[in-house]
């Protein structure tokens, strides 16, 4: 905590702006996180990368960490691998940017629209930009722990109910409409990384 003191002081206007303080201000503008949360993500990132904590010179925030390090922190979440895949870069690594994005979207302050967009990506295991029966079956198996046959029946039933013209998939727009109608969607799509 003492290592973060120069940043906190610069954020409070007690010293010149540091490179990291400038970065934090940029993240405040484009995330749902506050300063304390961004500093917590920063501290977590530094801990995982082993980057020296010389805050006066800044930190190379582009140092990647493997997605497996993130899945380790999501050990209880049924979608941990999909979450890590969706938020990581094409090399299955997390830079500081990707880590901040993930924590921001999964925070309790992110909007339904943002959360639904990312939930759709997480649930779209096939990566074809629609939620079809196989995607929904996987969601039901992971979320409810039911058998593949029961999950398949539930997926077929849902698609039959909400899809017009016998189309057997959900688009992002349809998924968002459903998310807005589910009262506890926001509560169920959040993770507190810093208990």
């Amino acid at each position: 905590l003492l290592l973060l003191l120069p940043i906190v002081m610069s954020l409070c206007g007690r010293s010149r702006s540091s490179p990291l303080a400038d970065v934090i201000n940029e993240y405040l503008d484009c995330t749902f996180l506050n300063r304390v949360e961004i500093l917590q993500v920063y501290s977590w990132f530094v801990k995982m990368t082993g980057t020296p904590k010389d805050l006066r010179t800044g930190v190379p925030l582009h140092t990647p960490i493997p997605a497996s390090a993130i899945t380790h922190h999501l050990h209880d979440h049924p979608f941990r691998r999909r979450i890590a895949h969706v938020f990581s870069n094409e090399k299955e690594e997390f830079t500081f940017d990707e880590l901040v994005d993930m924590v921001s979207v999964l925070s309790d302050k992110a909007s339904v629209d943002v959360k639904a967009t990312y939930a759709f990506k997480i649930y779209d295991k096939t990566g074809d930009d629609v939620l079809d029966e196989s995607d929904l079956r996987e969601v039901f198996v992971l979320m409810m722990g039911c058998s593949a046959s029961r999950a398949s029946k539930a997926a077929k039933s849902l698609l039959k109910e909400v899809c017009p013209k016998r189309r057997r998939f959900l688009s992002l727009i349809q998924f968002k409409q459903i998310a807005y109608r589910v009262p506890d969607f926001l509560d169920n799509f959040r993770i507190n990384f810093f208990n």
Side-chain angles (χ1 to χ4, degrees):
L1 193 58
L2 289 175
L3 297 171
L4 296 176
L5 189 59
I7 293 174
V8 173
M9 288 177 62
S10 71
L11 293 174
C12 295
R14 294 189 181 176
S15 68
R16 291 187 325 223
S17 179
S18 71
L20 189 56
D22 294 339
V23 170
I24 289 172
N25 287 330
E26 290 175 22
Y27 285 112
L28 285 171
D29 292 337
C30 62
T31 69
F32 297 100
L33 303 176
N34 62 37
R35 289 183 197 281
V36 171
E37 292 163 332
I38 293 168
L39 287 171
Q40 287 175 314
V41 175
Y42 169 77
S43 180
W44 186 30
F45 183 80
V46 168
K47 183 179 177 183
M48 287 191 288
T49 60
T51 304
K53 294 185 178 184
D54 184 358
L55 301 180
R56 283 174 237 117
T57 61
V59 167
L61 298 177
H62 61 277
T63 304
I65 54 175
S68 60
I70 301 303
T71 58
H72 172 73
H73 289 279
L74 299 170
H75 61 88
D76 289 337
H77 200 285
F79 293 98
R80 62 188 167 276
R81 287 183 183 86
R82 288 294 305 154
I83 290 169
H85 175 76
V86 166
F87 286 99
S88 64
N89 61 28
E90 45 295 329
K91 295 179 183 177
E92 293 288 318
E93 298 173 328
F94 277 80
T95 62
F96 183 67
D97 285 346
E98 282 114 10
L99 190 60
V100 169
D101 285 345
M102 180 185 73
V103 173
S104 178
V105 169
L106 296 173
S107 75
D108 58 351
K109 293 177 234 141
S111 67
V112 173
D113 191 63
V114 169
K115 286 184 177 290
T117 298
Y118 279 92
F120 185 87
K121 291 177 184 183
I122 290 166
Y123 299 158
D124 181 19
K125 188 174 181 180
T126 56
D128 56 2
D129 296 325
V130 295
L131 295 181
D132 58 18
E133 183 183 332
S134 67
D135 294 322
L136 293 172
R137 181 176 52 242
E138 180 79 12
V139 168
F140 290 137
V141 166
L142 290 174
M143 286 181 80
M144 300 186 310
C146 58
S147 68
S149 64
R150 287 191 72 197
S152 186
K153 287 178 186 176
K156 285 178 184 176
S157 176
L158 174 67
L159 290 172
K160 185 177 180 181
E161 185 177 325
V162 298
C163 292
K165 302 177 187 173
R166 298 205 178 268
R167 214 174 54 188
R168 295 294 181 225
F169 59 84
L170 289 174
S171 68
L172 175 59
I173 292 170
Q174 289 170 311
F175 182 77
K176 284 182 177 183
Q177 290 170 347
I178 293 169
Y180 275 103
R181 289 184 283 177
V182 176
D184 57 351
F185 175 75
L186 284 174
D187 292 334
N188 290 326
F189 199 74
R190 75 172 169 206
I191 299 173
N192 185 355
F193 289 95
F194 309 108
N195 283 332

